[in-house]
């Protein structure tokens, strides 16, 4: 392999390492946020958890998702942060959270998250929720979405 090819490969490998580190930090942040919220560690500096999160410049919704991933996969079902990172990390696990009802279902969805593209994972989630295989759907009830090129607003039409 040429020197230039090795440099390119090294650059790509570093990007993959950074992604893993970021996911690890998201999981650690979820743990910290859980402890802060549960034990009211934000007091007396902040009047509420929401105020603390606001100061972090994070939405309460995002903070709660980080906490829920931590509580579900680590505290409830005992997965390691490595297993979670290998499944694609925080953002994919947020998608599968509604499907996880037991250790067995958590294992199934972790495997799906680690092997499928985000698009295919979302299709699998939709199929599990609706009980309808997308390939078999006749699409008899549809609507059209128009997106404004200027402002990006989405307008649904019948």
């Amino acid at each position: 392999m040429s020197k230039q090819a090795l440099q390119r490969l090294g650059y790509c490998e570093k990007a993959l390492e950074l992604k893993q580190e970021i996911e690890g930090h998201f999981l650690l942040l979820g743990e910290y946020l859980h402890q802060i919220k549960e034990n009211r560690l934000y007091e007396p500096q902040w009047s509420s958890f929401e105020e603390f999160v606001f100061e972090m410049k994070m939405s309460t919704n995002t903070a709660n998702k980080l906490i829920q991933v931590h509580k579900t996969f680590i505290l409830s079902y005992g997965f390691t942060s490595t297993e979670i990172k290998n499944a694609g990390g925080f953002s994919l696990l947020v998608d599968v959270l509604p499907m996880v009802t037991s250790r067995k279902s958590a294992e199934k969805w972790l495997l799906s998250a680690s092997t499928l593209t985000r698009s295919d994972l979302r299709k699998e989630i939709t199929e599990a929720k609706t009980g309808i295989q997308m390939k078999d759907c006749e699409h008899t009830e549809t609507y059209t979405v128009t997106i404004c090129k200027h402002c990006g607003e989405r307008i649904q039409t019948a």
Side-chain angles (χ1 to χ4, degrees), residues 5 23 37 50 71 88 117 124-125 132 136-137 147-148:
E23 291 299 342
K37 187 175 185 178
E50 291 74 18
K71 286 172 64 176
T117 64
E124 191 170 305
I125 291 168
I132 299 169
D136 298 334
C137 185
I147 303 171
C148 176

Side-chain angles (χ1 to χ4, degrees), residues 33 36-37 42 47-54 63-64 67:
L33 290 170
I36 290 166
K37 187 175 185 178
Y42 52 82
S47 62
S48 66
F49 179 72
E50 291 74 18
E51 184 182 309
F52 169 73
V53 171
F54 180 78
N64 286 330
I67 291 168

Side-chain angles (χ1 to χ4, degrees), residues 33-85:
L33 290 170
H34 172 72
Q35 289 299 322
I36 290 166
K37 187 175 185 178
E38 290 296 308
N39 298 305
R40 302 175 67 95
L41 301 178
Y42 52 82
E43 293 177 337
Q45 182 69 28
W46 296 274
S47 62
S48 66
F49 179 72
E50 291 74 18
E51 184 182 309
F52 169 73
V53 171
F54 180 78
E55 184 156 320
M56 292 179 71
K57 299 189 181 354
M58 176 185 288
S59 73
T60 304
N61 188 36
T62 299
N64 286 330
K65 286 177 182 178
L66 286 162
I67 291 168
Q68 196 57 45
V69 166
H70 172 73
K71 286 172 64 176
T72 301
F73 290 97
I74 293 176
L75 297 181
S76 294
Y77 299 122
F79 291 99
T80 67
S81 60
T82 301
E83 289 171 305
I84 295 169
K85 287 188 289 186

Side-chain angles (χ1 to χ4, degrees), residues 3 9 34 43 48 52-53 58 62 73 84 92 94-95 101 110 112-113 117-118 132-134 156-157:
K3 182 177 179 180
L9 178 61
H34 172 72
E43 293 177 337
S48 66
F52 169 73
V53 171
M58 176 185 288
T62 299
F73 290 97
I84 295 169
L92 287 179
V94 167
D95 290 344
T101 57
L110 279 175
S112 293
T117 64
R118 170 173 244 121
I132 299 169
Q133 296 294 309
M134 288 186 162
Q156 180 178 323
T157 56

